[in-house]
Each structure stands twice: as C-alpha cells, then as structure tokens.
Amino acid sequence: MKFWVISMDAFRSIEWTDGKLRLLDQRQLPIKTTYRDYISYIEVASAIRSMVVRGAPAIGVTAAFGLALAAQQSEALTLAAFLADLQAAGEHLMAARPTAVNLSWAVSHLLALAADDVAQKTVALEGLDESASEVSEGEAIARLKQTLLSEAQALHQADIEICQQLGTHAQALIPDAATVIHHCNTGALAAVDYGTAIGIIRVAHEQGKQIHAFLDETRPRLQGASLSAYEMQAFGIPHTVIVDGASGYVMRTRKIDACLVGCDRVAANGDVANKIGTYNLAVVARAHNVPFYVACPTSTLDMTLASGDEIEIEERAATEITHVKGQQITPDGTPVFNPAFDITPAEYVNAIVTEKGIVYPPYQENLEKLMR
Ligand code: MRU
C-alpha cells in the first residue's frame, strides 16, 4: 500500500525537538499557527487539560513524552526514589483528562517498562558493596531516562503506522463514491498523523475515491468547524461544514453512505465514549439506515470496563457554553451542564475499525478475540 505524502510539516501536532516537546496550539487554529515548547511534565499536563493538544491518540503520545520529561527532571539518586518520582508524575498526567483511555494507557505502559527495568537492575545490584552500588544505580537511572524517551518516540512513530493501517482496513466499508458525516476532529491533529475517522477519509481520497465529508461543527469547542475543516482544506478533500443539529436533515435529504467517528474509550461490550453529540448522530443514523462506524487504535479499547456506564465522562467549564470567543451569550447566572463526551450504546455501532482489522457485533465476543 502506497501512501501519498502530503506535507503535514505545516501543522505537525506533536514533535520532540532539541530536548523539548513541541505542541501545536490547537486552540488558536485555524487563525494562528503557534507552537509551544515544554520541558516539564507539569506544563505538559496543563497543556492536555487546557486542550493545547487534544484527541485521544494525541494526548496519549503527549503524556508519554510528559513522563519522559518527568524522568529527565528527576534528581533521584536511587532507583526506588526515581520510580517514586515517575509514579507521582504519571498520576498527575493521568488526572489531566479522564475519558480518553489512551492517556492512562500510554502512561501505564511507560511506568510498567520502568518498573520492570528497575526490578531487573535491583537484582543485578544485590551483592555489590555500597559505593559500587551507588555508582551503578546512578548509571542505571541515566540509562532508564534514555529508555523512556526512546519509548515515547517509538509510540509517536507507531501512532502514524497504526492510523495508516486502520485507514486501509476501513476501505472495505467505503464505496468508490461516498458521502459521509463526521463528528469532532479525529485527524492528523488528533493523533500524530492521519488520525482515525478522518484517516479513513484521507486514505479513501488518496486511493482516488470520490469522497465528500459533511463535518459536524461540534459545539461547544467547534473542533469540526475549526480543525477538521482546516485539515480537509490542507489535503484537498471535498467537505462541507454543518451545524450539529443539521445531520438529521442531511441524512433525510441526501444520500449518506456512512457516519464516521473516532472515540475516546470503548468498553468490553462495545459501548463507545466519544465527543458529545456522537450518541445523537448514531441514533439519527439508525433511524435513516445509515451505517455508523467507529474508528480507533486498539489502545482505545478498555476491556476492564464491562459497559459504557462505567466510563468516566469529563465535564468541562460552563464558559465553553455561556461564552463564544470571550463574548457572553447566555443571561448572567444561567445554569449549564457541559459533559464533553457521551456514550453510544453498542447496538447503534455497525462496526469498530482498528489497526488489527474491522470488528463487527457481537462486540463482547469479537473484541475479546481481537485482543487475544
Ligand atoms: O475533547 P477532544 O477534542 O479531545 O475530543 C476528541 C474526540 O472526541 C475524538 O473524536 C476522539 O478523541 C478520537 S480522536 C482520533
């Protein structure tokens, strides 16, 4: 499979450069292209929380670099103290945003790697006298710092390949001429490159399919209008932005071949957490017999949760709803409820596309098989 390289250099979401983590500030797109550099894990957690970087795969990779930075920052002289510093940093990073499991997946992956390494080194150090052991612990910590950075870089690279594989598998579901509806932003900005649902659209376009995407604007943060439209324009993919409430009308009045969305966490029974409004889209899609496809890397599957009811849903500031571009739009004191995600029950999902292939219902059984 050949992938046309359309330069993403103009807006690479996450980069490790000169010993720093560089993030594209997505809050300012499409008006301004601003990169911010990070050298501490506290700053990285704050960038995730304030949505400088967002999208499940992107925040997973960012958190991995956050932990690598925590390792560099640690002044611990013993392996046990080093591990304790990493644990504390990991907890801080994982608390930044609760719904996307990719964040805790990436942090746990790096912490497990460090814990294994420390366990092995500790055995090797037993029997050395105190001063020899101190020198060796110092060397072991220095090596582990490098290992954690290399692993974060490997996750960064792997994310691109995973999204390309996912996009390629999904082509079995996309006709040669297709019109789709997409929610939120799931593209190169939400990952390292390509992305999930938008990755599918991009691969279809690269393969010469006549694909047109209706992009839900995605209130309240407008990831569809600002970010997805920005990406579509950059890649020359035909698209039209609609308000979220227009998707039913569009399905009723046009031939829509599929709804494509990404996701932040999938429970073992196939229930899907994704950007608020996804559930509405899925119900309307079912009412119009439009297939509803969810795309995610396997790191988004959370087989520890029996159903979507167990997924923690992030609630964000009321000002995301009461204000638009700093301008208040609701009466003073208006009560607001602002869940950032919702749960789409598995029964509305026609297929889940991953880098390992397409999963169909019954999800409980088939997701388990996929993960084995
Ligand atoms: O709040 P956001 O912008 O981080 O939400 C993003 C989404 O809901 C995406 O659909 C999801 O993370 C998948 S991104 C490939």
Side-chain angles (χ1 to χ4, degrees), residues 168-368:
T168 305
H169 287 308
Q171 296 312 310
L173 304 170
I174 308 294
D176 285 347
T179 305
V180 301
I181 299 183
H182 173 269
H183 194 65
C184 196
N185 172 263
T186 65
L189 292 164
V192 179
D193 201 349
Y194 277 85
T196 58
I198 285 187
I200 297 173
I201 296 169
R202 189 166 147 195
V203 173
H205 178 72
E206 288 172 354
Q207 290 188 355
K209 292 184 178 178
Q210 302 299 307
I211 191 156
H212 184 109
F214 280 96
L215 307 174
D216 280 353
E217 65 170 353
T218 318
R219 268 285 279 164
R221 292 191 69 102
L222 306 175
Q223 291 94 328
S226 314
L227 307 178
S228 298
Y230 180 70
E231 287 192 30
M232 294 287 158
Q233 206 169 79
F235 296 122
I237 303 173
H239 60 283
T240 308
V241 174
I242 55 174
V243 298
D244 301 350
S247 54
Y249 178 72
V250 169
M251 281 188 236
R252 199 176 165 83
T253 54
R254 322 247 164 148
K255 186 182 169 301
I256 300 298
D257 298 287
C259 289
L260 297 177
V261 300
C263 62
D264 288 77
R265 198 182 287 244
V266 180
N269 69 345
D271 289 352
V272 167
N274 191 47
K275 181 52 54 196
I276 193 74
T278 302
Y279 178 31
N280 301 46
L281 185 66
V283 172
V284 177
R286 179 57 51 89
H288 293 86
N289 282 320
V290 172
F292 189 85
Y293 300 130
V294 173
C296 64
T298 47
S299 55
T300 306
L301 305 178
D302 186 350
M303 303 303 282
T304 68
L305 301 185
S307 80
D309 297 341
E310 295 175 31
I311 299 176
E312 185 182 348
I313 297 295
E314 174 185 5
E315 280 183 41
R316 295 192 62 88
T319 48
E320 287 188 350
I321 293 180
T322 57
H323 289 64
V324 173
K325 300 269 169 235
Q327 183 73 43
Q328 187 174 326
I329 58 163
T330 52
D332 284 344
T334 299
V336 161
F337 175 44
N338 186 18
F341 300 94
D342 59 26
I343 306 292
T344 300
E347 66 194 90
Y348 291 101
V349 177
N350 293 78
I352 299 175
V353 187
T354 76
E355 77 279 14
K356 293 189 181 170
I358 303 175
V359 186
Y360 296 97
Y363 291 117
Q364 184 81 46
E365 196 181 316
N366 291 339
L367 287 174
E368 266 168 32

